[in-house]
Amino acid sequence: MNISHLKESIIKLINEENTVSEKLQSICNLLKKEINYYNWVGFYFKNGNKLELKLAEFAGEPTEHVIIPFGKGICGQVALSNQNFVVPNVETQDNYISCGFKVKSEIVIPIFVNKINIGQIDIDSHTVNPFTKNDKLLLEFVCEKVAQLL
């Protein structure tokens, strides 16, 4: 993974004359294409005043998890904890929402606007324990740039 190249690509996508939705979709597509163990990439955002997340743009297989209550699954836990959450092996998590038998690991990074958690980027992998410090750094960068769009 070439973080510098990916960061440059993210900045280019964000600076394009597209809607926010188109930019988010382009980011999902780029990350899924460029990082071979990113099998599903998506953004979830707080659903109005409800204590739930709503799926926005994503790249990968469709999911039935379009709405996730706060506290449920990894994404729901991040909505409450405001902390990054890396799951090296989903089989070890009691509060994991299965998105399919192929998913082996997950990383979720929150997005903050004015210090308020308004959403997150969620990555599923079909590989056990693929995520490194570089993934965390890259995804935190992505979330910072996305926050500037919103």
Side-chain angles (χ1 to χ4, degrees), residues 69-86:
F70 281 19
K72 187 165 172 67
I74 308 309
C75 291
Q77 290 176 74
V78 169
L80 294 176
S81 74
N82 299 321
Q83 301 290 317
N84 297 347
F85 200 152
V86 180

Side-chain angles (χ1 to χ4, degrees), residues 45-54 67-70 79:
F45 292 100
K46 188 169 187 273
N47 190 12
N49 291 327
K50 299 176 183 174
L51 295 178
E52 64 186 23
L53 297 164
K54 185 174 182 181
I67 300 290
I68 298 176
F70 281 19

Side-chain angles (χ1 to χ4, degrees), residues 134-150:
N134 285 340
D135 294 290
K136 178 181 163 290
L137 293 172
L138 174 63
L139 296 173
E140 286 175 346
F141 174 84
V142 169
C143 289
E144 288 170 16
K145 294 301 175 190
V146 167
Q148 294 169 6
L149 290 173
L150 306 173

Side-chain angles (χ1 to χ4, degrees), residues 106-120:
E106 183 172 11
I107 184 171
V108 179
I109 308 291
I111 301 168
F112 295 98
V113 173
N114 298 323
K115 299 182 181 178
I116 297 170
N117 182 346
I118 56 95
Q120 53 201 232

